[in-house]
Amino acid sequence: MYLSQKEKEAIFKKHGKNAKDTGTAEGQIALFTHRINHLTEHLKNNRKDYNTERSLVKLVGKRRALLDYLTKKDVLRYRAIVKELGLRK
């Protein structure tokens, strides 16, 4: 698979509380962002891969839902993760 366990731990360590804390919204948003970027690059080369396109749309929706949750829960955490990942809103 394109994302090894060590890479996932690095993402969660950087954006979560620690490498084993996979439940924080920031960690999940960072992981979804990594996967979205990977699928976007794949779709640039494979325009007609509609299954991947559907998966990408679903991931973007999940990330959007987590970002909305974080906005309602704690605006400062939301602003920090958006700035850190370079997401636009």
Side-chain angles (χ1 to χ4, degrees), residues 38-82:
H38 177 76
L39 291 178
T40 302
E41 290 301 316
H42 171 78
L43 284 173
K44 286 180 182 176
N45 297 328
N46 304 288
R47 297 184 302 119
K48 295 187 177 184
D49 189 355
Y50 299 116
N51 292 323
T52 301
E53 185 177 354
R54 182 173 188 269
S55 298
L56 177 64
V57 170
K58 288 175 72 83
L59 272 177
V60 169
K62 284 183 179 182
R63 183 178 70 181
R64 180 78 258 155
L66 279 171
L67 286 169
D68 290 343
Y69 163 78
L70 205 54
T71 303
K72 293 175 188 170
K73 192 76 171 166
D74 188 357
V75 171
L76 296 178
R77 285 172 52 196
Y78 168 78
R79 289 180 183 154
I81 193 71
V82 167

